[in-house]
């Protein structure tokens, strides 16, 4: 019997932004991310950590790994293009409207699209970080096309975190 794909609800590709539709994140096979505390059974799979965000990137297939807890959140890892750096989706999406539109005027439209405002930007009152109302990363990514159709939207882009590389 075939194993269920734990990431079947996630898109295999995600545009980097509305403004750059030709640049895409593609699913990076052989890797997965743990959001939250790494269970001891998965500690040997960790290849790098995003400590501030409490995210670990692991080598292997998520379906092959034992989970110590149902509270562990797993997500796929993406790469920027075919050979780009690995990136982990956080579930936050940056939405920017025309400069003449304040984000407060779009709360209801965002809610109808299935999103809630997580953080407004003092320096850009026409933009905000939003997340899927469910809180799910998969729902946030799959709903990007809906956000792009909202009136006066200029750009939509997912927050994707990459490993810091010292210079």
């Amino acid at each position: 019997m075939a194993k269920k794909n734990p990431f079947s609800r996630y898109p295999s590709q995600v545009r980097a932004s509305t403004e750059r539709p030709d640049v895409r994140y593609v699913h990076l096979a052989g890797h997965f991310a743990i959001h939250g505390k790494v269970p001891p059974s998965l500690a040997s799979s960790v290849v790098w950590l995003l400590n501030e965000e409490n995210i670990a990137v692991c080598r292997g297939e998520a379906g092959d790994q034992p989970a110590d807890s149902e509270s562990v959140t797993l997500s796929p890892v993406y790469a920027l293009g075919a050979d780009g750096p690995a990136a982990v989706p956080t579930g936050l999406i940056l939405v920017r409207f025309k400069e003449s539109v304040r984000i407060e005027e779009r709360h209801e439209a965002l809610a109808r699209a299935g999103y809630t405002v997580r953080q407004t930007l003092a320096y850009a009152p026409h933009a905000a970080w939003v997340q899927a109302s469910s809180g799910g990363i998969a729902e946030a990514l799959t709903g990007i096309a809906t956000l792009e159709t909202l009136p006066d939207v200029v750009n939509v882009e997912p927050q994707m975190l990459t490993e810091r590389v010292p210079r």
Side-chain angles (χ1 to χ4, degrees):
M1 182 161 97
K3 289 185 180 184
K4 182 179 183 279
N5 177 359
F7 303 133
S8 61
R9 296 181 308 123
Y10 286 82
S12 61
Q13 294 186 17
V14 179
R15 270 198 305 238
S17 74
T18 306
E19 292 179 329
R20 296 176 44 208
D22 54 322
V23 179
R24 295 183 176 269
Y25 290 99
V26 294
H27 179 251
L28 181 60
H31 292 81
F32 63 97
I34 300 171
H35 299 255
K37 186 174 174 16
V38 176
S41 63
L42 298 179
S44 64
S45 301
V46 175
V47 291
W48 51 272
L49 296 169
L50 295 162
N51 289 329
E52 296 84 25
E53 290 80 14
N54 205 20
I55 297 173
V57 172
C58 300
R59 191 173 311 280
E61 297 299 331
D64 297 338
Q65 303 298 327
D68 292 344
S69 164
E70 290 185 19
S71 65
V72 172
T73 300
L74 302 179
S75 78
V77 174
Y78 292 85
L80 190 56
D83 300 316
V88 179
T90 66
L92 293 178
I93 310 293
L94 182 66
V95 178
R96 183 167 46 92
F97 291 90
K98 291 180 182 175
E99 286 191 37
S100 61
V101 177
R102 298 185 61 81
I103 200 70
E104 293 82 14
E105 299 169 11
R106 295 298 191 249
H107 280 251
E108 286 183 35
L110 289 165
R112 283 191 302 274
Y115 289 83
T116 57
V117 174
R118 178 82 181 273
Q119 180 184 1
T120 57
L121 308 174
Y123 59 89
H126 58 288
W129 287 104
V130 300
Q131 69 180 24
S133 299
S134 68
I137 299 169
E139 293 81 5
L141 295 177
T142 58
I144 288 174
T146 302
L147 288 172
E148 292 173 329
T149 65
L150 294 177
D152 301 320
V153 166
V154 174
N155 190 43
V156 177
E157 61 185 84
Q159 184 181 54
M160 302 290 258
L161 303 180
T162 59
E163 179 180 26
R164 280 199 181 133
V165 179
R167 292 182 189 223

